[in-house]
């Protein structure tokens, strides 16, 4: 099995019963043709980016952290005042999507939950499973640009309408930041708050190793609570006896650290080789163990 061979077709599961039994008495979810249009042009996710999502990694057919991902989906939905999703149905639909896909080493499973067709008041939900991008180069190390996010770490408290910590479908700004990083000769971004503290990547959580401790940005600073960092913290504490904590850190704390990674569910642990011009040490052996833990194979 490889992620670089010709891609098996993606799988689409539509979930009309994501908020309970469908009104027409139909099935709670069903497979659909992923190669033909299925989304209404008036779905509010198409016209306003109004919805929330999760991306779950499945390795050798086994999804990782499904419970935490779906719990976060429900939290994000509550933050944007969408009806509570029926998580049992969504979990079954995730399993169905993986089962329907050809067996591959790494699958990216997106769970999308939107405001739905304008005027209907019924969320749209679907699961899309496709072979993951080949993240191998990123997993051996990547250059990262530090970019100002233009918000302070206090904004989570002062401006909740900015939806701090919600995984919304308005990712255009995050993608624009990655393009800016590429113009600067890097491949990813570490967002920095206006008060100087480092936050997270556009699609990832920061992990820093300093003096034998493992640190990440506090969720209260307005970052997404990452499922990967939680899994690694649990493993580092239980199996390695390492101290772990949330802590506000500056760019200098990161560049002067013993190593840093950006963590996410399909790319896994990507070590930072450079933050802007500053080189960081990379522990390839520890990084390889992180990949196993994050794949659920440790
Ligand atoms: N922060 C942001 C903004 C993200 O979009 C993501 C994932 O896509 C993460 C952090 C990492 O979350 P997880 O570890 O659950 O994949």
């Amino acid at each position: 099995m490889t992620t670089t061979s010709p891609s098996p077709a993606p799988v689409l599961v539509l979930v009309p019963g994501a908020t309970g039994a469908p009104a027409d008495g139909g099935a709670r979810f069903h497979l659909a043709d992923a190669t033909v249009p299925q989304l209404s042009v008036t779905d509010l996710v198409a016209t306003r980016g109004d919805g929330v999502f999760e991306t779950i990694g499945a390795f050798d057919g086994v999804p990782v952290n499904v419970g935490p991902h779906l719990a976060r989906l429900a939290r994000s939905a509550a933050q944007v005042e969408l009806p509570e999703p029926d998580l049992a149905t969504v979990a079954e639909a995730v399993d169905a999507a993986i089962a329907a896909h050809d067996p591959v080493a790494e699958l990216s499973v997106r769970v999308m939950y939107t405001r739905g067709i304008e005027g209907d008041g019924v969320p749209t939900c679907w699961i899309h499973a496709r072979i993951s991008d080949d993240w191998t180069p990123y997993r051996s190390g990547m250059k990262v640009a530090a970019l100002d996010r233009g918000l302070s770490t206090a904004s989570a408290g002062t401006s909740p309408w900015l939806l701090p910590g919600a995984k919304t479908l308005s990712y255009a700004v995050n993608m624009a930041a990655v393009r800016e990083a590429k113009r600067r000769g890097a491949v990813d971004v570490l967002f920095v708050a206006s008060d100087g503290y480092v936050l997270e990547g556009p699609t990832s959580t920061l992990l820093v190793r300093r003096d034998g401790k493992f640190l990440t940005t506090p969720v209260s600073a307005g970052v997404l609570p990452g499922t990967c960092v939680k899994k690694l913290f649990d493993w580092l504490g239980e199996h390695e006896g390492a101290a772990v904590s949330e802590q506000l850190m500056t760019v200098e704390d990161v560049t002067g650290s013993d190593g840093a990674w950006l963590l996410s569910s399909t790319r896994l642990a990507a070590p930072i080789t450079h933050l802007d011009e500053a080189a960081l040490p990379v522990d390839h052996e520890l990084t390889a163990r992180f990949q196993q833990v994050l794949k659920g194979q440790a």
Side-chain angles (χ1 to χ4, degrees), residues 17-254:
T19 52
D24 63 3
R28 287 174 304 140
F29 59 85
H30 56 268
L31 278 173
D33 187 346
T35 65
V36 300
Q38 301 279 357
L39 187 69
S40 167
V41 293
T42 59
D43 194 295
L44 285 158
V45 80
T47 54
R48 296 203 189 275
D50 195 353
V52 297
F53 77 112
E54 282 296 319
T55 305
I56 301 172
F59 301 90
D60 295 328
V62 181
V64 174
N65 272 337
V66 176
H69 276 291
L70 296 190
R72 192 171 65 190
L73 183 78
R75 273 203 308 278
S76 298
Q79 267 181 277
V80 299
E81 297 177 41
L82 277 171
E84 196 180 342
D86 175 354
L87 296 187
T89 295
V90 177
E92 275 183 56
V94 166
D95 287 343
I98 295 168
H101 198 284
D102 283 0
V104 294
E106 300 194 11
L107 205 55
S108 168
V109 184
R110 287 211 175 111
V111 181
M112 318 295 274
Y113 187 63
T114 86
R115 183 88 49 198
I117 292 173
E118 193 158 9
D120 277 8
V122 180
T124 306
C125 180
W126 71 92
I127 319 290
H128 186 255
R130 66 170 181 93
I131 198 158
S132 289
D133 294 337
D134 181 5
W135 294 118
T136 317
Y138 291 78
R139 290 174 187 164
S140 55
M142 59 177 190
K143 290 188 174 178
V144 171
L147 296 184
D148 179 13
R149 193 178 235 175
L151 298 167
S152 87
T153 52
S155 64
T158 57
S159 318
W161 48 88
L162 296 176
L163 304 174
K167 198 164 164 68
T168 76
L169 280 162
S170 313
Y171 261 42
V173 167
N174 301 35
M175 297 302 103
V178 174
R179 288 193 295 275
E180 174 62 22
K182 290 186 176 164
R183 279 192 288 275
R184 296 182 185 201
V187 298
D188 206 349
V189 175
L190 177 59
F191 281 126
V192 183
S194 55
D195 46 356
Y197 294 110
V198 290
L199 294 167
E200 63 185 342
T203 59
S204 56
T205 304
L206 176 68
L207 175 70
V208 174
R209 180 192 203 180
R210 221 176 53 216
D211 304 327
K213 272 194 193 159
F214 290 86
L215 308 166
T216 194
T217 308
V219 168
S220 59
V223 299
L224 194 74
T227 63
C228 291
V229 78
K230 167 81 171 68
K231 193 168 182 72
L232 277 190
F233 270 17
D234 289 350
W235 179 79
L236 284 162
E238 281 166 29
H239 297 276
E240 304 292 297
V244 298
S245 71
E246 291 192 343
Q247 196 171 298
L248 285 174
M249 292 171 277
T250 62
V251 168
E252 290 69 35
D253 289 333
V254 180

